[in-house]
Amino acid sequence: MADNAGRMVTPTGFWSRLITFFYKVPSIVGSATIRGINAVGGMTIFMAAGLWHIFTNIRIFPRTLQQLYIIGYQSLFVILLIGIFCGMVLGLQGYYTLVQFGSVGLLGSAVSLSLIRELGPVLTAIMLTGRAGSAMAAEIGVMRISDQIDALDVMDINSISYLVSPRILASLISFPLLTAIFDAIGIFGGYLTGVLMLDMSEGIYFYKIAHAVTMNDVSGGFIKALVFGLLVSTVCCNQGYYAHLRRDSVGPEAVGNATTSAVVISCVLILAADYVITSFWL
């Protein structure tokens, strides 16, 4: 910019900051893109390594049983509680919606299909993320900052095989089983509100379920549960395993931030994967 005498004048104030910002935009976007690609690539390699040790190291199975108890059995009560209330709410809302169109007989199919196709896998995965996934990230993160993972490497014990693979395998087993339990207890919750509380015919309720639900619906729900289990276990273990490399914090604070990031990223990926799988499955 030049004045009347032809001398260069440096912009000041707002315009100066605006021009500086636009000069920095390509650098900011480029850096963020590179970090995102590195994160996705690193997590993919991390997941592949965890899956590889499932098939190459038979010694992970005793630790897998321990993780099945932690991830699966200890989450059972929460799944039962959420499932029964979810089914009851679906039965109640579905009844008062369908009665306006004279289609109360479709309540059983509406409740069962909603649970089996969508709500069962998604809500189960989100609940397990909050309960078991956060514990994975926190436990592995504490082991990282206290140098226990480095000690495993010094003793020539593969830390991914020892810590990550059992959790991935346990998640791949627990998520579909708990999803099935969630679906069953949710359908029973719809029965409680639709049949016992609102006097709908019991025979019609179960007849519509039997004729509406197909094996394609059930298999689709289980595929979602498997994908969610793989995503949640990978993300949560990855966040804890690399807690010491976080840019925003160090030490115990890094473990807390890693746990928070693990839960948030897992929930976002669950919903994104649910949309992608539903798009291809329907």
Side-chain angles (χ1 to χ4, degrees):
M1 184 182 300
D3 58 9
N4 295 331
R7 293 172 298 185
M8 297 300 297
V9 178
T10 303
T12 58
F14 171 78
W15 293 108
S16 177
R17 292 191 296 269
L18 184 62
I19 292 173
T20 303
F21 171 77
F22 279 114
Y23 273 122
K24 291 182 178 179
V25 165
S27 176
I28 295 172
V29 174
S31 299
T33 303
I34 292 173
R35 286 198 301 270
I37 294 174
N38 287 335
V40 173
M43 196 168 297
T44 303
I45 295 173
F46 185 84
M47 178 179 66
L51 291 173
W52 170 257
H53 289 291
I54 291 175
F55 299 102
T56 58
N57 187 0
I58 197 172
R59 289 178 295 178
I60 71 168
F61 290 103
R63 294 190 296 276
T64 301
L65 293 177
Q66 180 186 14
Q67 293 302 318
L68 279 173
Y69 175 79
I70 296 172
I71 299 172
Y73 179 76
Q74 291 187 347
S75 302
L76 184 59
F77 177 75
V78 175
I79 296 301
L80 291 173
L81 190 65
I82 300 300
I84 191 73
F85 282 112
C86 180
M88 292 175 69
V89 170
L90 279 176
L92 196 62
Q93 293 284 4
Y95 181 90
Y96 285 111
T97 300
L98 293 172
V99 75
Q100 301 178 30
F101 305 97
S103 304
V104 178
L106 297 175
L107 180 64
S109 58
V111 171
S112 59
L113 290 176
S114 298
L115 288 168
I116 293 172
R117 287 182 176 180
E118 291 296 330
L119 292 180
V122 172
L123 290 181
T124 299
I126 290 177
M127 293 305 302
L128 288 176
T129 299
R131 195 214 157 273
S134 59
M136 292 184 207
E139 182 180 355
I140 296 177
V142 169
M143 294 181 69
R144 170 59 77 183
I145 66 169
S146 60
D147 298 328
Q148 296 181 51
I149 295 179
D150 294 332
L152 291 175
D153 295 332
V154 169
M155 292 186 293
D156 198 24
I157 298 175
N158 190 294
S159 55
I160 293 181
S161 175
Y162 189 84
L163 297 173
V164 178
S165 296
R167 289 172 168 83
I168 292 178
L169 181 57
S171 298
L172 291 175
I173 297 172
S174 299
F175 273 62
L177 292 178
L178 291 175
T179 297
I181 294 172
F182 187 100
D183 294 342
I185 198 68
I187 292 173
F188 177 70
Y191 168 82
L192 290 179
T193 53
V195 175
L196 299 185
M197 294 175 56
L198 300 172
D199 295 327
M200 178 186 170
S201 171
E202 178 180 350
I204 294 177
Y205 182 82
F206 287 109
Y207 174 83
K208 290 297 183 181
I209 293 175
H211 282 264
V213 178
T214 64
M215 185 54 65
N216 187 61
D217 300 320
V218 177
S219 60
F222 282 141
I223 288 175
K224 288 182 179 181
L226 284 171
V227 173
F228 297 161
L230 181 60
L231 288 175
V232 170
S233 57
T234 299
V235 170
C236 293
C237 291
N238 180 270
Q239 290 293 318
Y241 193 87
Y242 294 109
H244 64 303
L245 298 179
R246 293 189 65 87
R247 300 160 56 92
D248 55 354
S249 53
V250 295
E253 185 181 358
V255 176
N257 290 336
T259 304
T260 302
S261 298
V263 174
V264 173
I265 295 172
S266 296
C267 290
V268 172
L269 289 179
I270 286 168
L271 296 177
D274 178 57
Y275 172 77
V276 172
I277 296 173
T278 302
S279 300
F280 283 102
W281 197 259
L282 291 178

